[in-house]
Amino acid sequence: MDVTVLMAMTLDGKIAQHADHFPDWTPPEDKRFFSERTRRAGVVIMGSRTFDTLGKPLPGRLNVVMTRDASRTSPWTNLLFTSDPPRRILAWLESLGYTEAIVAGGALVNSLFAAEGLIDRLVVTISPKIFGTGISLFSSEISMDLELEDVRRLGRDLVVLTYKVVRPVPG
Ligand SMILES: NC(=O)c1ccc[n+]([C@@H]2O[C@H](COP(=O)([O-])OP(=O)(O)OC[C@H]3O[C@@H](n4cnc5c(N)ncnc54)[C@H](OP(=O)(O)O)[C@@H]3O)[C@@H](O)[C@H]2O)c1
């Protein structure tokens, strides 16, 4: 299973100003890019706080929402709430035939995947914005070595950076 963290970021490295910040600050090209990438994978994994800023599942994709709240149930067929840990979610998705999963934040859920060494790639779109303060890509101490795979300009003001995660060689 290929795991890609796909995030929109400001030039000063923020993914939101605060936890319930509605994600409406990126240019239309970014929204199109996000939609294409997540539809191609067919599944998007996110934290309950991120889901709550959206309010409903992203259409045309399976939405897996991580929560510890067992009382949350979904009226949508393409939305699943789960308290399963990242590795078990990925194994389940693999058993359904998915080969790529997009992890779409927020910082806490990104950190859960990073802590278990499950991220293969980070795709970050840099928007022409500065927030000064706010939420970063990760919310805990994370150490990761990266290799730049691709740099692409999108529209007039966006840059898409693709990094591969370099895993330490065992032994
Ligand atoms: N710029 C971007 O591309 C982008 C992308 C995504 C999100 N965001 C922004 O990021 C912000 C939210 O990020 P965040 O870090 O605050 O929250 P988050 O990662 O979206 O969600 C955190 C939630 O995950 C659940 N959780 C925590 N540990 C868990 C575990 N071990 N197992 C299962 N569920 C667990 C908890 O929900 P319960 O309390 O329900 O248990 C926790 O409140 C929002 O402002 C959003 O707009 C930006």
Side-chain angles (χ1 to χ4, degrees):
M1 173 70 77
D2 199 68
V3 179
T4 297
V5 167
L6 176 58
M7 301 296 288
M9 208 164 77
T10 62
L11 185 58
D12 58 338
K14 307 298 176 199
I15 64 160
Q17 282 176 311
H18 46 78
D20 48 6
H21 188 183
F22 185 71
D24 61 351
W25 48 271
T26 65
E29 294 89 348
D30 178 65
K31 294 181 178 71
R32 267 198 299 276
F33 180 73
F34 179 85
S35 177
E36 277 165 23
R37 281 299 301 247
T38 51
R39 282 175 194 269
R40 198 168 79 200
V43 58
V44 54
I45 303 169
M46 68 186 93
S48 75
R49 262 189 237 138
T50 294
F51 174 72
D52 290 338
T53 66
L54 305 173
K56 57 183 191 319
L58 301 165
R61 291 141 279 188
L62 174 62
N63 292 235
V64 178
V65 175
M66 295 181 69
T67 176
R68 291 153 304 181
D69 181 353
S71 72
R72 291 195 80 163
T73 53
S74 161
W76 290 281
T77 52
N78 68 330
L79 167 66
L80 173 88
F81 289 107
T82 181
S83 60
D84 281 354
R87 207 176 283 279
R88 197 176 306 156
I89 294 173
L90 296 177
W92 174 70
L93 290 172
E94 217 157 41
S95 77
L96 295 179
Y98 292 98
T99 54
E100 187 191 11
I102 302 290
V103 175
L108 200 150
V109 158
N110 292 347
S111 300
L112 293 177
F113 279 79
E116 291 194 39
L118 295 172
I119 301 172
D120 296 296
R121 192 168 288 98
L122 286 113
V123 178
V124 176
T125 55
I126 311 283
S127 277
K129 286 247 173 220
I130 301 282
F131 286 163
T133 58
I135 301 176
S136 305
L137 271 184
F138 297 98
S139 62
S140 56
E141 197 177 317
I142 299 290
S143 171
M144 231 186 243
D145 290 324
L146 306 172
E147 210 171 78
L148 185 61
E149 269 189 345
D150 191 51
V151 179
R152 185 146 73 92
R153 187 173 185 156
L154 201 62
R156 204 189 61 183
D157 294 322
L158 274 178
V159 179
V160 186
L161 302 175
T162 302
Y163 287 96
K164 192 174 103 180
V165 176
V166 181
R167 297 216 161 79
V169 183

